[in-house]
């Protein structure tokens, strides 16, 4: 039955032409999965200054008034937790994802008083393009329908994909602005290497590295290393995973064994 629901929802999204259609579809499947409320948010990244935003929900009017009136989005623990989860999570798990402050707990309590007791949120992030969330929530006195959570994750992914298409944020990849050698120089610079160190790594002269980086800045019309790195990251010329390693992160056990055995 649940698979049939997902199939019907996916078919319905195929004919969705505007946010109103998507909102209606979410409302129908929300109830069918055993939830009381839903909310879908799609936000353009900061560098996309003129890009649209999409917000669909059937949350209680009182909560919507408080949330927007007091500009709580910047302090919302659910939104912050989305940056620390690869999969959907129940709101009861937020404390295991981020440190909860007194203000966070107060905000969650106010939500309950307004009719939002517990929820399940699915995050989606496309660096340089958009971030989105889709939540399904139950009212006070009810528990999250545990058997529906895996299905809700799939439904949320489908809904966010549809929302991205409706938003106008989807764009064709830009033509590569950098040569392969310019990209290599930039990548090592992004990793914190100096021009001299990059030259040794690549087997070229320091002057050549400096020239490659100068031409790269000109192609992006920026004037400093930091802006060049950010522009290339958001353009997809270099990858976040190729540059950054989170503090305290360690290679997987399998990789450590391979390094030892090699």
């Amino acid at each position: 039955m649940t698979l049939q629901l997902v199939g019907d929802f996916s078919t319905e999204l195929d004919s969705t032409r505007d946010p109103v259609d998507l909102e209606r579809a979410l409302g129908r499947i929300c109830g069918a999965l055993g939830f009381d409320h839903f909310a879908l948010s799609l936000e353009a990244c900061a560098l996309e200054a003129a890009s649209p935003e999409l917000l669909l929900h059937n949350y209680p009017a009182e909560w919507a008034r408080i949330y927007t009136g007091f500009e709580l989005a910047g302090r919302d623990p659910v939104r912050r937790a989305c940056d620390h989860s690869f999969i959907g999570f129940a709101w009861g798990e937020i404390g295991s994802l981020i440190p909860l402050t007194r203000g966070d707990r107060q905000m969650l309590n106010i939500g309950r008083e307004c009719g939002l007791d517990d929820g399940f949120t699915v995050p989606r992030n496309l660096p340089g393009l958009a971030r989105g969330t889709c939540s399904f929530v139950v009212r006070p006195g009810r528990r999250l329908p545990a058997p529906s959570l895996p299905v809700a994750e799939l439904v949320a992914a489908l809904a966010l994909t549809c929302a991205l298409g409706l938003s106008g944020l989807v764009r064709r990849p830009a033509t590569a602005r950098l040569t392969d050698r310019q990209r290599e120089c930039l990548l090592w610079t992004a990793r914190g290497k100096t021009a001299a160190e990059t030259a040794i790594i690549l087997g070229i002269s320091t002057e050549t590295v400096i020239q490659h980086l100068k031409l790269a800045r000109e192609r992006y019309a920026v004037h400093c290393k930091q802006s060049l790195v950010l522009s290339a990251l958001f353009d997809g010329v270099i990858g976040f995973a190729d540059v950054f390693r989170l503090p305290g992160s360690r290679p997987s056990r399998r990789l450590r064994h391979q390094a030892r055995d090699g």
Side-chain angles (χ1 to χ4, degrees), residues 5 28 31 39-40 43 61 63 75 81 90 97 115 135 165 167 179 216 233 239 254 258:
L5 281 174
R28 282 189 284 269
L40 181 147
E43 306 170 16
W63 173 245
R75 291 177 279 167
L97 297 172
S135 299
S167 70
T179 66
L233 282 168
R254 179 181 176 185
Q258 287 177 341

Side-chain angles (χ1 to χ4, degrees), residues 175-179 183 186 220 231-239:
T175 301
R177 305 192 198 189
L178 306 183
T179 66
R183 179 189 176 279
L186 175 57
Y220 272 106
S231 297
L233 282 168
F234 285 121
D235 229 9
V237 174
I238 60 176

Side-chain angles (χ1 to χ4, degrees), residues 182-240:
Q182 288 167 359
R183 179 189 176 279
E184 287 178 320
C185 292
L186 175 57
L187 181 58
W188 285 106
T189 299
R191 290 171 174 168
K193 300 299 182 182
T194 64
E197 290 169 333
T198 299
I200 294 172
I201 293 170
L202 298 180
I204 57 180
S205 71
T206 300
E207 291 73 17
T208 300
V209 172
I210 292 172
Q211 183 64 17
H212 280 313
L213 293 174
K214 177 177 181 293
L215 291 173
R217 289 195 301 274
E218 290 176 355
R219 293 191 178 195
Y220 272 106
V222 296
H223 303 288
C224 66
K225 176 179 68 177
Q226 291 82 358
S227 295
L228 176 59
V229 171
L230 285 173
S231 297
L233 282 168
F234 285 121
D235 229 9
V237 174
I238 60 176
F240 286 85

Side-chain angles (χ1 to χ4, degrees), residues 39-56:
L40 181 147
S41 172
L42 187 68
E43 306 170 16
C45 288
L47 293 184
E48 300 284 348
S51 297
E53 298 181 358
L54 188 63
L55 176 62
L56 308 173

Side-chain angles (χ1 to χ4, degrees), residues 5 16 66 73 99 104 116 135 151 172 213 252 258:
L5 281 174
T16 295
I66 293 173
D104 292 334
L116 304 174
S135 299
V151 183
R172 295 179 62 84
L213 293 174
S252 68
Q258 287 177 341

Side-chain angles (χ1 to χ4, degrees), residues 31-247:
L33 291 176
F35 298 94
D36 300 300
H37 302 286
F38 71 86
L40 181 147
S41 172
L42 187 68
E43 306 170 16
C45 288
L47 293 184
E48 300 284 348
S51 297
E53 298 181 358
L54 188 63
L55 176 62
L56 308 173
H57 70 88
N58 66 350
Y59 278 3
E62 179 65 11
W63 173 245
R65 183 187 66 78
I66 293 173
Y67 196 87
T68 56
F70 289 91
E71 299 181 347
L72 297 180
R75 291 177 279 167
D76 189 346
V78 177
R79 290 180 81 251
R80 297 206 316 276
C82 285
D83 293 332
H84 296 269
S85 181
F86 188 69
I87 59 175
F89 56 89
W91 291 358
E93 301 169 357
I94 293 176
S96 66
L97 297 172
I98 60 171
L100 284 173
T101 67
R102 179 180 178 183
D104 292 334
R105 294 187 176 88
Q106 182 180 24
M107 186 172 175
L108 292 171
N109 286 334
I110 293 174
R112 293 188 188 97
E113 292 173 2
C114 291
L116 304 174
D117 187 53
D118 198 4
F120 180 76
T121 295
V122 177
R124 285 293 183 273
N125 290 292
L126 290 174
L129 184 60
R131 59 176 294 177
T133 64
C134 186
S135 299
F136 295 100
V137 188
V138 292
R139 63 178 182 266
R142 298 193 61 205
R143 292 185 177 181
L144 288 177
S148 293
L149 298 188
V151 183
E153 177 128 20
L154 179 55
V155 165
L158 291 170
L160 286 166
T161 300
C162 179
L164 185 62
L166 294 174
S167 70
L169 288 170
V170 178
R171 64 187 181 191
R172 295 179 62 84
T175 301
R177 305 192 198 189
L178 306 183
T179 66
D180 288 342
R181 186 59 95 184
Q182 288 167 359
R183 179 189 176 279
E184 287 178 320
C185 292
L186 175 57
L187 181 58
W188 285 106
T189 299
R191 290 171 174 168
K193 300 299 182 182
T194 64
E197 290 169 333
T198 299
I200 294 172
I201 293 170
L202 298 180
I204 57 180
S205 71
T206 300
E207 291 73 17
T208 300
V209 172
I210 292 172
Q211 183 64 17
H212 280 313
L213 293 174
K214 177 177 181 293
L215 291 173
R217 289 195 301 274
E218 290 176 355
R219 293 191 178 195
Y220 272 106
V222 296
H223 303 288
C224 66
K225 176 179 68 177
Q226 291 82 358
S227 295
L228 176 59
V229 171
L230 285 173
S231 297
L233 282 168
F234 285 121
D235 229 9
V237 174
I238 60 176
F240 286 85
D242 294 329
V243 176
F244 300 108
R245 182 178 295 278
L246 293 176

